[in-house]
Each structure stands twice: as C-alpha cells, then as structure tokens.
Amino acid sequence: MENINHKIQNYLKFIIPSLIGIILFIFPIKADGQFTIPIAILSNSLMDFFRQYINIILVVLICTSFFGSILIKTIKKFNPNIKLLKLELIQTLFDIKPLSLVIRGISTMYVIITYFFPQYEMIASTATGGLVFRDLLPVLFSIFLIAGICLPLLLNFGLLEFVGTLLIKVMRPIFGLPGRSAVDAIASWLGDGTIGVLLTSKQYEDGYYTEKEACIIGTNFSLVSITFSLVVINTVGLGSMFLQFYLTVTFACIIAAIVIPKLPPLSRKRDTLIDGTKPEHLEEHENKASVSYGIECALDKVKDVKVFDSIVIDGMKNVIDMWVSVIPIVMMVGTTALIIAEYTPIFRYLGLPFVPLLQILGLPEAHAAAQAMFAGFADMLIPSVMVADAVQSDITRFVVAAVSVSQLIYLSEVGALLLASKIPVKLKDLVIIFIERTIITLPIIAGIAHLLF
C-alpha cells in the first residue's frame, strides 16, 4: 500500500506542476484581440503594477550590481576570510571577472545618464538608451520575475523528460537536437524569445544540453513571438498579410535551423556537457515505447524533488541572478548597439554587399533595403522602421520585415541575453550566425514574396 501511495504521489508531482507549467508557458489564449500565453499576461500585469516605480527600481538594481561587485572585491582583497564571501549567492552575483565588472560599470553610467540627465540624447534618447531603459528593461524585469519563479514547473517535474521521449524521433533526425528542445521553441513562439533563452540556459547549466546543443537552440530556436511579429508587419504597413508573413518566417526559420548547425561556428562547438563530460542521451532509447518510457523518465525525475524548495527557493534564486547578472548586460550591449546604429553609418556600410543580392532577387529599391539588412543586429524593429517610409515597394517592405524577424539574433535583447548567459557563444559567433541566417533566409523569403505579390 505504501508503494502504491508513493507512486500516486509521484504521478501527482509530475502531472499537476507540469500541467500548470504548460498552461502558463505554452497554452495560447486570446487577449485584446491577440494570441499570447498566460505568463506574458502576468508579466504585463506585473509591469503595470510596478509602472510608477519601475524606472527607479532598475536604476537601483543596475547600480547595485556594479557597486556591490566593487564592495565585494574590496572586502575580498582586505579580508578574504569573512563569512559573507563564502555565501554561494554572493559569489555568483558579485564576485565577477574584470570584463563583467567593466560591463556593469558602463551599464551604470548609461542608466544614470538616461534617468537623471536625459538632455544627453546620444545615450538617453528614445532611439538609444531610452528605448532599452524604458521599453525593454521593464519587460525583462517582469518576465524574469514571473518566469524565474515559474520555470521550475517546466524544468523540475518531469515534463521535459516526457516530451523529450515523444519528440526525439522528430527533433534528433531533423535538427540533431533532444526532443525536449521543442518545448523551448514552443515557449518562444507563443510567448517571447527571451523565455526560450532562459529555458535553454537553465537546462544547459543543469546538464541536459551539450555545449553544441545549447548554442544551436539558443541561436536558432529562440523564435520571435507571434505578438512581436504582428508589431513588425504592422510597422511596414502590411498588417493584412500577417498570416502569409508568419508562415513565410516560420518556413525560413525551419530551413535555417536545419542548415546553420552544420556550418561553423556551431558545427565546431563541443558535444560535451557544461562539466566537460560526454552526454549519455538516456532519453533516446527509441526501442522503448515513447509514452511509457516518457512517463517512466518523468516519475524518476520527480521522485526526490521537494516541491516548495524547487519552486519558491530555486525560483527566487533564478530571479535574483537574472536581475543582477543579465539586466546590466542588456542595458550596456543594447544601448551601445543602438548608438552605433543611430549615430554612425556602420550598419549602412555593412549593408552595401546586400545590394547586388537584392537586385539579383528582383527586389525594387535595393539600395534603401540593403541599409536595413544589417541594422537588425542592433534591434529587430530597426529594419522595419528604416523602410516603413523610405521604401514604397510592398514586396521589398515585406521581405525586409520577414528577414528581420528570421535573423533572430539582435543585441538589444536575445543577443545580449545569450552573451549574458552561460551558453558558450561569443560576440564573434553571433555576428557570423546572424550573417548566415540573413544569407540563408533572404532568398527563401524573397522567392515566397514573389509568389505573394
């Protein structure tokens, strides 16, 4: 009887938290005429609740990340045996490398100027630091709080083990990835690319993805949400073609996700776990029935999990870590990238090689469109803003908008999050992958656009 009760308890520990996680992160609902997920609605509600104080909270948070690191390093230098330094959370948050300290210092400078000295427009305008500070960081702050606490529902109670066994026969042959990576993609698609990065990073840290798998998933499956895609297509004045637009983007991203992992730098990433060991791929026992083996794996996962510790304690550690470690990097990288895009011709020059390619693809106003091709590396919305008034051709505006969404990696959000995470990708890797995604998806999107227009 005791064994039966224990088994029932494990089933409930698997089913109830996993079901809540599915509803929060994956189950689509319609709100204000748009499809989204409950976690995004909760995040928006939280942002509205904090709206009056959110900017000063962010200033304090970023300043604390920098001056707290200075304080801890000073204490460590003069009194290395103090108990405070032995706390794991303090070490994780503030005992950082010199480069990370410099990044936090620049981020602190940016946020102080943006909040207290808005007259310095190069840093504080709504096209640069103001955009990151007032539009992006509040969203990240609330998403990190809600998602950080709720992520254990997806990660710790057997759902990914169960889903992984069901989808391994799809994900492994086509993309060379574990079945559980499909959950990352779905959460990104219905919610936000940042949620996908958080999921991927956490699973890599916990030893469920290899270095190569984490890099592939982070750069190819952190898909742009349906909601933001609607914003992009509306920006170029083609909102009535949203269905055609999103299907085009989805198809182009699938092709890119098949091809790009076979090219450097992703093909050269190590197929080892975060601790350097080789993975056993226990989820891939295809000779066992998928559903029964999936349940077996899920129950094995939850048998020793303490629900309260897993959700509340681990969740709050995730939140604090993301707030202190990630938000300053997003502020620094995003603002710097937008300053370069706004005040220098660098992205325009980088776009020049795309002119002949756009002409070969038969797109009108190729010169104007080419300027926007590389600007998406700074922020995904910039290309659509650049061509909204400057380009008259519907087909060209459609292509630029679709390519900007298919590029995925932009430094004001997903790119900065990837660099801030423990996923082993460097800025050079992101630049190369961004170019590869552009070159691969552009002809596909242009070909489909010619069929539509």
Side-chain angles (χ1 to χ4, degrees):
M1 179 64 77
E2 186 177 341
N3 287 336
I4 294 174
N5 289 337
H6 186 66
K7 195 166 186 178
I8 291 173
Q9 187 180 24
N10 285 341
Y11 267 103
L12 293 176
K13 281 169 68 176
F14 160 50
I15 294 171
I16 295 175
S18 297
L19 192 58
I20 295 172
I22 289 170
I23 292 170
L24 287 175
F25 282 92
I26 297 175
F27 192 76
I29 58 174
K30 199 168 187 179
D32 299 327
Q34 298 180 0
F35 280 100
T36 185
I37 54 175
I39 203 80
I41 295 175
L42 290 173
S43 172
N44 291 334
S45 300
L46 187 68
M47 194 165 55
D48 291 338
F49 178 78
F50 281 109
R51 189 170 298 279
Q52 187 176 352
Y53 309 103
I54 189 70
N55 289 337
I56 191 63
I57 290 173
L58 289 167
V59 171
V60 171
L61 191 62
I62 292 174
C63 290
T64 300
S65 74
F66 175 61
F67 292 111
S69 299
I70 295 288
L71 178 62
I72 292 299
K73 285 192 170 293
T74 304
I75 294 173
K76 187 177 180 180
K77 183 177 181 180
F78 292 102
N79 193 356
N81 296 320
I82 193 169
K83 288 184 178 180
L84 179 68
L85 299 177
K86 308 298 181 183
L87 296 176
E88 183 183 352
L89 190 60
I90 294 296
Q91 290 179 350
T92 302
L93 297 180
F94 299 114
D95 192 7
I96 56 177
K97 296 178 181 178
L99 179 59
S100 297
L101 188 64
V102 171
I103 290 173
R104 289 186 183 186
I106 296 172
S107 179
T108 299
M109 179 191 70
Y110 281 162
V111 80
I112 289 173
I113 291 174
T114 303
Y115 187 75
F116 293 105
F117 306 101
Q119 65 270 26
Y120 296 101
E121 292 193 356
M122 177 177 282
I123 292 174
S125 77
T126 54
T128 54
L131 174 66
V132 179
F133 179 64
R134 293 188 174 84
D135 292 350
L136 175 59
L137 293 192
V139 175
L140 292 183
F141 176 88
S142 55
I143 283 179
F144 286 172
L145 178 55
I146 298 295
I149 293 173
C150 297
L151 270 177
L153 295 169
L154 287 183
L155 299 176
N156 296 353
F157 295 95
L159 177 64
L160 294 182
E161 283 72 16
F162 178 69
V163 171
T165 59
L166 297 181
L167 294 179
I168 187 62
K169 293 179 181 178
V170 176
M171 299 302 292
R172 188 58 77 181
I174 297 176
F175 302 109
L177 296 172
R180 63 197 295 130
S181 62
V183 177
D184 301 45
I186 294 169
S188 299
W189 176 51
L190 294 172
D192 190 273
T194 56
I195 293 174
V197 175
L198 295 179
L199 268 169
T200 304
S201 179
K202 191 71 175 67
Q203 290 187 84
Y204 173 64
E205 291 174 47
D206 291 344
Y208 291 107
Y209 291 151
T210 66
E211 175 181 310
K212 189 172 188 177
E213 289 167 351
C215 292
I216 290 171
I217 297 164
T219 56
N220 288 277
F221 286 83
S222 298
L223 306 175
V224 180
S225 70
I226 294 174
T227 304
F228 193 81
S229 296
L230 189 59
V231 172
V232 170
I233 196 65
N234 282 330
T235 300
V236 296
L238 297 171
S240 61
M241 297 190 67
F242 174 72
L243 180 60
Q244 299 94 313
F245 169 78
Y246 202 77
L247 289 175
T248 301
V249 167
T250 301
F251 179 70
C253 285
I254 290 172
I255 300 300
I258 294 172
V259 175
I260 289 175
K262 297 175 175 61
L263 306 173
L266 291 181
S267 64
R268 294 176 180 169
K269 295 295 181 182
R270 296 180 303 171
D271 206 10
T272 56
L273 300 175
I274 192 169
D275 61 2
T277 61
K278 286 282 185 182
E280 295 181 24
H281 290 311
L282 294 179
E283 66 167 12
E284 299 182 29
H285 289 196
E286 295 183 25
N287 58 321
K288 297 191 178 185
S290 291
V291 174
S292 61
Y293 184 58
I295 292 173
E296 182 185 329
C297 290
L299 294 178
D300 187 58
K301 171 73 175 178
V302 300
K303 65 181 181 183
D304 296 321
V305 172
K306 296 178 180 178
V307 177
F308 180 84
D309 289 355
S310 183
I311 296 175
V312 179
I313 297 177
D314 291 349
M316 284 310 302
K317 284 181 180 178
N318 289 339
V319 172
I320 295 170
D321 187 18
M322 289 185 289
W323 277 352
V324 175
S325 302
V326 178
I327 283 181
I329 295 178
V330 174
M331 181 68 196
M332 182 271 178
V333 174
T335 300
T336 302
L338 290 174
I339 289 172
I340 292 170
E342 185 72 13
Y343 291 98
T344 75
I346 290 176
F347 287 120
R348 292 189 184 92
Y349 292 148
L350 291 173
L352 288 176
F354 288 101
V355 173
L357 179 58
L358 291 169
Q359 290 174 334
I360 291 171
L361 294 172
L363 297 175
E365 303 176 77
H367 281 85
Q371 295 182 17
M373 281 291 136
F374 218 96
F377 190 59
D379 182 81
M380 191 172 292
L381 199 55
I382 291 177
S384 297
V385 172
M386 289 176 69
V387 302
D389 297 320
V391 173
Q392 302 302 313
S393 167
D394 285 351
I395 187 173
T396 302
R397 281 186 280 121
F398 179 91
V399 170
V400 169
V403 169
S404 73
V405 173
S406 304
Q407 288 167 330
L408 290 190
I409 301 165
Y410 51 112
L411 288 181
S412 65
E413 190 179 283
V414 169
L417 288 175
L418 286 168
L419 292 175
S421 73
K422 290 185 172 62
I423 298 172
V425 287
K426 300 177 181 178
L427 180 61
K428 179 182 71 173
D429 296 335
L430 295 184
V431 173
I432 295 170
I433 295 167
F434 177 87
I435 294 171
E436 289 173 348
R437 293 194 67 85
T438 305
I439 293 172
I440 290 169
T441 58
L442 176 57
I444 296 169
I445 290 168
I448 296 173
H450 280 295
L451 296 176
L452 296 174
F453 289 88

